[in-house]
Amino acid sequence: VIRMSAVEFNKEQLDILSEVGNMTVGQAATSLSDFVNKMVTITIPTTKVYTYKELREEFSSSVITTKIDYTEGFEGSNLLMMQLGDAVDFSKVVTEEKLGNGDTIHAWGDLSKVILEEVFNIMIGNMSSGMSDIFNRYIKIGAPTIYADTEERDLFFPESEMLVAIWFDVRIESDFSIRLCNIITISQAQKMLSIIEGDYHL
C-alpha cells in the first residue's frame, strides 16, 4: 500500500491508473504515428505518488509543461511534463517530417512551441476519446497550453501537494525517445478509480 500523508492507494489501484494511462496515451501515440508518418511506441507505464516538489526534482533540467483542461466529463486539468531538451528534439523530429527543415529549430522558442501545441492538440483528441470509452461517459478536453519554466515558473500546485504521476517512454522509430509524465490530482485519481471499480465491480 502506498501511504503518503492522507493519501492511500494499493498496488492494484496504482495498476488500474497505469492501465488507464496506457490506454489513453496509446490512443494518442496512434494519432502521433499518423501525423509524423513513423512508427510510435510507448513503454508500459509506471505510476507513483509524489509531492509536486518531489516530482519536479525528478527532472534534471528545465521542464516543458502542457496543461490540458477538461471541459466536460471531469473537472480540472491534466499536465504532461517533459525535459526542455526532449521538447526541442521532439519539435525537430516533427518539423523535419512535416516541413523537411528540422534544422531551423536550435532551441526552445515560438516555433517549437507552436509545433508541439499542434502535435498535442491532435494527440489529446484521441486521449479524450479513449477516456470516454474507459469511463463510459462523454469526456471533452480543451486545447493544450504549453509553458516553459525558462519563461515563467510553472508552479501549478503547492510544493507539498500530493499528485499521481504516470511515466512513459515515447519512441518514434529509432530516431527519438522522450520520457513523458502525465500528472493527475489525487481527487481525479480517486474519481477515476471509483468509476472503474463501480463499473467493473472490482
Side-chain angles (χ1 to χ4, degrees):
V1 175
I2 304 296
R3 297 177 190 272
M4 300 178 98
S5 185
V7 179
E8 186 172 307
F9 295 110
N10 60 36
K11 183 179 183 302
E12 182 180 274
Q13 289 173 320
L14 290 176
D15 287 344
I16 290 169
L17 292 171
S18 291
E19 186 54 30
V20 169
N22 193 34
M23 294 172 72
T24 55
V25 176
Q27 296 247 19
T30 299
S31 60
L32 176 60
S33 179
D34 292 341
F35 186 67
V36 298
N37 197 30
K38 291 178 180 286
M39 176 72 73
V40 175
T41 57
I42 60 168
T43 57
I44 295 171
T46 57
T47 301
K48 290 182 67 177
V49 179
Y50 298 87
T51 65
Y52 187 55
K53 182 176 186 290
E54 289 169 338
L55 178 60
R56 289 300 305 254
E57 289 169 352
E58 288 286 311
F59 293 89
S60 60
S61 66
S62 294
V63 177
I64 298 296
T65 304
T66 304
K67 184 171 180 281
I68 303 160
D69 295 326
Y70 292 111
T71 56
E72 291 189 50
F74 278 114
E75 293 182 356
S77 307
N78 264 21
L79 299 183
L80 294 171
M81 297 174 74
M82 70 177 85
Q83 304 272 60
L84 184 141
D86 283 347
V88 172
D89 290 343
F90 188 16
S91 61
K92 282 183 182 178
V93 170
V94 174
T95 305
E96 182 61 40
E97 183 60 36
K98 302 304 288 185
L99 303 176
N101 60 348
D103 289 342
T104 58
I105 295 176
H106 303 287
W108 182 256
D110 289 344
L111 179 57
S112 48
K113 182 177 180 179
V114 167
I115 288 163
L116 288 193
E117 282 178 338
E118 179 61 25
V119 169
F120 282 121
N121 199 36
I122 292 166
M123 291 173 67
I124 64 170
N126 282 48
M127 287 177 72
S128 60
S129 175
M131 291 182 72
S132 295
D133 292 340
I134 295 167
F135 295 107
N136 196 29
R137 60 171 63 188
Y138 179 65
I139 295 172
K140 188 175 179 182
I141 301 176
T145 305
I146 294 181
Y147 300 86
D149 67 6
T150 52
E151 302 159 355
E152 55 182 289
R153 191 72 180 161
D154 57 340
L155 294 178
F156 295 101
F157 302 102
E159 288 196 335
S160 61
E161 179 159 351
M162 306 302 301
L163 299 165
V164 177
I166 306 169
W167 295 90
F168 304 85
D169 288 331
V170 179
R171 298 185 181 126
I172 302 177
E173 293 187 354
S174 59
D175 298 343
F176 178 65
S177 177
I178 57 171
R179 194 175 190 219
L180 191 64
C181 183
N182 183 22
I183 300 149
I184 56 177
T185 64
I186 296 297
S187 61
Q188 287 171 333
Q190 290 168 335
K191 179 70 172 176
M192 290 176 178
L193 287 168
S194 69
I195 294 169
I196 290 173
E197 290 169 345
D199 285 354
Y200 296 95
H201 309 292
L202 298 175

